[in-house]
Amino acid sequence: MELLPTVALGISLYVVRTAEGGRNTPLLGGFAVKDRFRYRPNWGLPGWADGEQTGAPVLGFSRQDIQLGETVRAVIVPVFFEGVPAWRGVAPGDELRMYEGPRVCGRGTVVWVKPSTWPMQEEEDRDRLTRWLETG
């Protein structure tokens, strides 16, 4: 399988409450191997109109069973990096909107951006990136 260049982004993610238009249930997840890349929301990038979105699965979250209204750390990896040039301009401090369909279910602030590949083949790379979820 061909490895495509992409980036991994560490974000501080606020999970939007139901009353604010977000999810109805807690967000399951974590950083254990069994949880990696299971949650696959879309993301609205800086400068994009409301509703415009692209895919970036979540490698992991800093904890499990995330309640609405909580803020957690997350690592995301864009799958269409080459096809969506706007990813190249995303930098620390930028805000990303997390979508489930048309609904904004989270707001993330980019903390760091690191080169990566899709798919992530090396367990060592995934472990290196998820270490931040454990330690901050």
Side-chain angles (χ1 to χ4, degrees):
M1 177 180 286
E2 180 183 359
L3 298 179
L4 301 174
T6 188
V7 292
L9 298 94
I11 61 174
S12 175
L13 178 67
Y14 168 75
V15 181
V16 175
R17 297 175 191 274
T18 305
E20 300 169 306
R23 300 173 56 91
N24 294 317
T25 60
L27 183 57
L28 305 178
F31 52 82
V33 172
K34 69 177 181 57
D35 297 321
R36 294 178 181 177
F37 293 123
R38 290 184 66 193
Y39 182 59
R40 296 176 167 259
N42 284 332
W43 300 88
L45 304 183
W48 282 14
D50 288 344
E52 189 176 0
Q53 47 190 290
T54 186
V58 177
L59 172 61
F61 294 103
S62 56
R63 64 179 179 277
Q64 295 183 334
D65 302 327
I66 304 153
Q67 299 302 308
L68 307 178
E70 287 189 311
T71 300
V72 297
R73 292 182 306 279
V75 175
I76 65 173
V77 182
V79 292
F80 304 114
F81 184 74
E82 290 295 317
V84 182
W87 278 117
R88 290 184 192 87
V90 175
D94 285 345
E95 183 179 282
L96 307 177
R97 294 177 311 281
M98 183 179 81
Y99 285 93
E100 291 179 2
R103 180 175 37 191
V104 175
C105 292
R107 298 193 181 280
T109 302
V110 178
V111 176
W112 51 259
V113 179
K114 298 182 186 229
S116 190
T117 61
W118 186 262
M120 290 183 117
Q121 293 288 8
E122 300 297 323
E123 191 67 31
E124 180 179 311
D125 286 343
R126 292 184 289 257
D127 289 345
R128 175 179 51 88
L129 295 169
T130 57
R131 212 166 302 141
W132 177 71
L133 299 172
E134 297 178 70
T135 62

